[in-house]
Amino acid sequence: MSETADRVQKIVVEHLGVEADKVTQEASFIDDLGADSLDIVELVMAFEEEFGVEIPDDAAEKITTVGDATKYIEEHKG
Amino acid sequence: MRRVVVTGLGLVTPLGGDVETTWSNLIAGKSGAGKITRFDASNQKAQIACEVKDKDHEYGFDPNKRLDHKVQRQVDPFIIYGIDAAGQAIEDAGLEDMDEATKLRTGVSIGSGIGGLPGIESESIVLHERGPGRVSPHFVHGRLINLISGQVSIKYGLMGPNHAVVTACSTGAHSIGDAARMIALDDADIMLAGGAESTVNPLGVAGFAQARALNMSMNDTPEKASRPYDKNRDGFVMGEGAGVVVLEEYEHAKARGAKIYAEVVGYGLSGDAYHVTAPHPEGKGAELAMRMALKKSGLEACDIDYVNAHGTSTMADTIELAAVKRVLGDDLCGASMSSTKSAIGHLLGGAGAVEAIFCILAIRDQIVPPTLNLEDPDEGTEGVDLVPLTAKKREVKAALNNSFGFGGTNASLIVKKVD
């Protein structure tokens, strides 16, 4: 796992209170990890804080899996 | 009118994370007071409180028993306490596995006096320092007063009335009284009812201190600070926690063979129409509420064996006592009266519900809890058994619980043993 993926996983585990092994790159926040739309808003805020990136609303709407988040962050972090 | 009985109890208090731990510590005369640990209170005028203890404390509270991590992160402590107390009450009543028809007829009425003040305080700092884009998406529904009732309904699938009282320090008593009426009027067969509070945060403590409501003279002797009816009383000590009961229609409870603690026979409400924080000097509103509850109960004044007083350890204690004397008689017709706020502090919106549970337990165990620190009783207390310092074994068939709140809102409840 890349360093980014590792840190993304930690944030998801902390925010959603799920087991780390369920937080695969393929996992869907809503379908697999029990998140709702507000949880995703909160996760996006946490990613922005952790990685110093800005994730605009239209980009955030396209982030549905853990892998989507990891990919976006790796492409946009400074 | 349909009869309403109590079939389950749940408590989170400064003396325990459950009913039996709280009750045994209360009867043993322990105090839940101490220096504030939740935040650095060294610059506050009031530096003491009765805090709910952490889970590794001898009588601490473990939020992980009934709440998942995600909910705990999103909501204020008063909601955590309320959900847990509701869960305890459901388990105590043997209602963990309700069928769908029962869930349609089961409601929730758990209120709070203030709501999520700690979260409002901390998130306003986030707004100020980091801007609106950093405010949590869970901010609003994690602080709202009716979100204990909402969370409990969602967690257990309860589709009956979903209600939340907000009447300051009368909230817990009004919640139980109003919910009992919903059952009596056939809106529901079962109601989870009670109150919760947690405002041991810098803004909450400072606000009550500035209103001159808190004890600020005994910061070095926290266990001595809450002393209702004592000449040296000097303001209340803030408490926190929750109390929730399961109320149930009598025939419904009997039909399923439920354990029945007591019947809710009397409920009275009134307004002081006098002042925002001070009680009416003659206690007229308090008297009206007690008289209404007594009339509804069909009991005589001398049938009341125990009064759990509002008794906050302020000047108002003797005003309440004078009103109780007018209703029950100068010697309270032999009833004992104590203020358990001497041990757990003032739980504000949770107080009335927690203290109603103490009345119910007094009936169950035939023992009344003490008024701690009552060493030098004030004038006007002569000839009344205020249960000083130690608990007292005695017959308790019926008990009266008083709660009075800012704004001049009064509630009295009467519970009675079911023969």
Side-chain angles (χ1 to χ4, degrees):
Chain A
M1 211 187 298
S2 73
E3 193 220 336
T4 302
D6 199 29
R7 283 158 69 191
V8 165
Q9 186 196 48
K10 270 190 192 142
I11 290 170
V12 173
V13 167
E14 163 63 19
H15 278 70
L16 300 180
V18 289
E19 301 292 330
D21 58 9
K22 287 196 176 146
V23 187
T24 60
Q25 290 300 302
E26 296 75 34
S28 155
F29 292 115
I30 289 176
D31 296 335
D32 301 319
L33 301 175
D36 60 25
S37 58
L38 294 180
D39 293 326
I40 295 179
V41 174
E42 199 181 28
L43 277 170
V44 166
M45 283 168 57
F47 297 145
E48 288 179 329
E49 290 270 303
E50 172 77 12
F51 297 101
V53 294
E54 199 170 320
I55 309 176
D57 286 353
D58 57 343
E61 278 165 23
K62 295 190 188 100
I63 295 178
T64 62
T65 67
V66 176
D68 292 341
T70 307
K71 184 161 172 278
Y72 185 92
I73 292 160
E74 287 194 323
E75 285 171 5
H76 292 84
K77 70 178 175 183
Chain B
M1 203 78 96
R2 304 187 335 147
R3 295 170 67 185
V4 181
V5 294
V6 179
T7 57
L9 308 175
L11 283 176
V12 175
T13 78
L15 284 178
D18 59 69
V19 171
E20 299 310 329
T21 307
T22 297
W23 181 239
S24 61
N25 281 333
L26 186 73
I27 292 300
K30 288 190 187 169
S31 165
K35 286 269 187 190
I36 289 172
T37 63
R38 197 70 49 80
F39 64 95
D40 176 6
S42 58
N43 65 348
Q44 295 266 351
K45 289 178 187 166
Q47 300 172 357
I48 56 177
C50 292
E51 294 176 322
V52 168
K53 313 296 184 285
D54 290 338
K55 62 178 188 291
D56 45 1
H57 186 278
E58 179 194 348
Y59 41 89
F61 164 65
D62 181 2
N64 300 315
K65 272 188 190 165
R66 293 180 186 83
L67 274 86
D68 66 36
H69 173 80
K70 197 173 106 177
V71 173
Q72 287 183 48
R73 277 192 65 260
Q74 295 175 356
V75 305
D76 246 60
F78 85 102
I79 296 179
I80 294 175
Y81 300 155
I83 297 172
D84 188 89
Q88 293 176 40
I90 286 174
E91 292 158 25
D92 186 37
L95 288 169
E96 300 102 310
D97 300 311
M98 280 183 254
D99 59 31
E100 291 306 311
T102 306
K103 288 178 184 174
L104 290 176
R105 296 279 299 165
T106 299
V108 194
S109 168
I110 305 173
S112 176
I114 301 175
L117 196 61
I120 292 172
E121 178 182 57
S122 60
E123 215 63 14
S124 70
I125 293 169
V126 170
L127 173 69
H128 179 73
E129 293 184 347
R130 298 160 66 199
R134 285 288 170 265
V135 170
S136 166
H138 300 292
F139 169 63
V140 174
H141 52 269
R143 320 274 97 71
L144 285 180
I145 283 179
N146 70 304
L147 258 288
I148 302 173
S149 291
Q151 289 271 8
V152 168
S153 155
I154 293 161
K155 183 171 160 83
Y156 295 99
L158 311 179
M159 296 185 70
N162 203 267
H163 186 57
V165 171
V166 185
T167 51
C169 305
S170 297
T171 297
H174 276 139
S175 297
I176 293 174
D178 289 356
R181 288 187 174 179
M182 289 178 196
I183 294 173
L185 293 171
D186 206 10
D187 297 329
D189 294 326
I190 299 171
M191 288 292 295
L192 284 143
E197 203 80 77
S198 178
T199 58
V200 186
N201 63 306
L203 190 57
V205 173
F208 277 103
Q210 292 298 82
R212 302 295 184 266
L214 293 179
N215 178 293
M216 298 181 268
S217 63
M218 299 180 197
N219 284 329
D220 294 327
T221 50
E223 296 190 354
K224 294 283 175 195
S226 185
R227 40 196 318 117
Y229 314 106
D230 190 86
K231 273 183 187 155
N232 295 315
R233 68 189 187 281
D234 187 26
F236 77 78
V237 176
M238 189 181 286
E240 60 169 348
V244 176
V245 297
V246 173
L247 300 176
E248 192 165 352
E249 194 271 323
Y250 178 58
E251 297 298 336
H252 190 278
K254 247 185 12 180
R256 67 178 187 93
K259 160 184 67 185
I260 296 176
Y261 284 100
E263 180 171 357
V264 180
V265 291
Y267 175 40
L269 323 74
S270 73
D272 265 7
Y274 177 69
H275 187 268
V276 283
T277 59
H280 190 286
E282 289 158 35
K284 281 186 183 166
E287 182 179 344
L288 273 175
M290 282 186 272
R291 287 201 190 280
M292 190 193 292
L294 197 60
K295 187 180 169 197
K296 291 271 164 61
S297 73
L299 298 175
E300 301 293 329
C302 287
D303 293 330
I304 302 292
D305 301 303
Y306 172 58
V307 180
N308 188 298
H310 185 60
T312 54
S313 187
T314 61
M315 44 72 76
D317 297 356
T318 43
I319 295 174
E320 178 189 10
L321 179 56
V324 176
K325 282 181 175 181
R326 287 197 299 279
V327 175
L328 299 186
D330 278 346
D331 63 349
L332 312 191
C333 203
S336 298
M337 170 161 153
S338 64
S339 170
T340 45
K341 291 187 179 77
S342 59
I344 59 168
H346 190 353
L347 269 68
L348 308 172
V354 169
E355 291 160 14
I357 290 173
F358 292 160
C359 287
I360 290 160
L361 294 169
I363 289 170
R364 182 190 74 177
D365 293 348
Q366 300 291 290
I367 190 165
V368 293
T371 303
L372 300 187
N373 300 315
L374 180 49
E375 287 154 353
D376 190 5
D378 202 353
E379 283 155 32
T381 61
E382 306 81 8
V384 178
D385 175 24
L386 292 169
V387 201
L389 309 179
T390 51
K392 181 176 172 178
K393 282 293 242 181
R394 62 158 292 157
E395 182 177 54
V396 186
K397 282 187 179 166
L400 166 73
N401 173 36
N402 281 337
S403 291
F404 314 130
F406 279 2
T409 175
N410 310 302
S412 296
L413 284 172
I414 297 176
V415 288
K416 181 176 158 278
K417 189 177 184 132
V418 177
D419 296 319

